[in-house]
Amino acid sequence: MKKPLLFLLLACLPLPAWAKLVTRDVDYADEAGTALQGYLAYDDAVSGKRPAVVVLPDWRGMTATPKERADMLAQLGYVAFVADIYGKSVRPQSVPEYVAQIKIYKGDRALYRERARAAYKELLRQPQADAARTAAIGYCFGGTGVVEMARDGLPLLGVVSFHGGLDAQPSPAGKAIRAKVLALCGADDPMQPAVDLVAFEKQLRDGGVDYQIVSYGHAQHAFTDKDVDALKIPGAVYDAKADRRSWQAMRDFFEELFAR
């Protein structure tokens, strides 16, 4: 008789509020009216506003990979939004198509900043986003982009570049980098010219920017990308150790950045 009574009592207790990851595509547009479609992720078990993070994808654009990172950020208690840089109707499917797209935006940094800015503004429209606590992360091509977001003068607390193409491009007139910068680099990345990295660090130092540049020994380009090996691109190799360590470095950076 004791066991049935115990089960009855337990059944009367309130059930815990289990976390539920909410994800959805979001249609929006840039200043020129270009149709874009991003991806939003947050945990509905977290109440109220929370730190908000823009995710800039690598050269493949809106694929499952940046969405997975947004989900991981949501599981940490943030609200994350994957930016659509190329446009809703543009979904490249091959290496030549990836190259064609990034040439457009690397050659026109103002356009790249406009598309990233549109994603930032769309994220702030979400009721879960705390406008006072925002950041951006990006991978490869997106790692270049988050620095452009900082150069654009957006009120980000910080940006994290994962194996991004870093250089000393100037900020737009009247603007300067105010965000803290965490650059996570592969020590053996053949796609990151050493002279550009030196120039990038000098620019940050001369600008009084709070920055960290971390170099992961033996890691090559795209070290966080589990799918990159299948592309067989020389110098681009997944590295599980560098992937794990760089994600932890981002987590530590955000804990400091978003502390109240």
Side-chain angles (χ1 to χ4, degrees), residues 58 142 168 236 246:
D58 62 29
S246 60

Side-chain angles (χ1 to χ4, degrees), residues 135-190:
I137 71 171
Y139 294 84
C140 300
F141 170 62
T144 302
V146 294
V147 176
E148 290 301 328
M149 293 179 76
R151 289 181 177 132
D152 198 29
L154 295 177
L156 299 158
L157 295 183
V159 299
V160 183
S161 173
F162 291 85
H163 44 80
L166 305 174
D167 53 33
Q169 291 283 325
S171 295
K175 297 181 179 179
I177 296 176
R178 300 296 178 220
K180 296 180 180 180
V181 175
L182 173 61
L184 305 168
C185 308
D188 293 347
D189 185 346

Side-chain angles (χ1 to χ4, degrees), residues 88-101:
K88 183 176 180 178
S89 63
V90 182
R91 295 292 183 262
Q93 299 296 319
S94 66
V95 170
E97 292 178 354
Y98 305 149
V99 172
Q101 286 302 309

Side-chain angles (χ1 to χ4, degrees), residues 60-126:
R60 291 169 300 184
M62 189 63 66
T63 64
T65 300
K67 293 179 180 180
E68 178 184 355
R69 294 294 179 171
D71 291 350
M72 292 167 66
L73 287 165
Q75 290 165 355
L76 294 176
Y78 306 129
V79 53
F81 187 74
V82 181
D84 181 5
I85 300 300
Y86 299 154
K88 183 176 180 178
S89 63
V90 182
R91 295 292 183 262
Q93 299 296 319
S94 66
V95 170
E97 292 178 354
Y98 305 149
V99 172
Q101 286 302 309
I102 65 172
K103 280 185 176 179
I104 294 171
Y105 298 91
K106 283 200 169 184
D108 188 346
R109 298 295 177 103
L111 177 59
Y112 198 176
R113 290 191 293 268
E114 181 181 335
R115 294 288 170 83
R117 186 165 60 247
Y120 173 79
K121 291 180 178 179
E122 184 60 35
L123 174 56
L124 293 190
R125 293 187 186 100
Q126 307 306 315

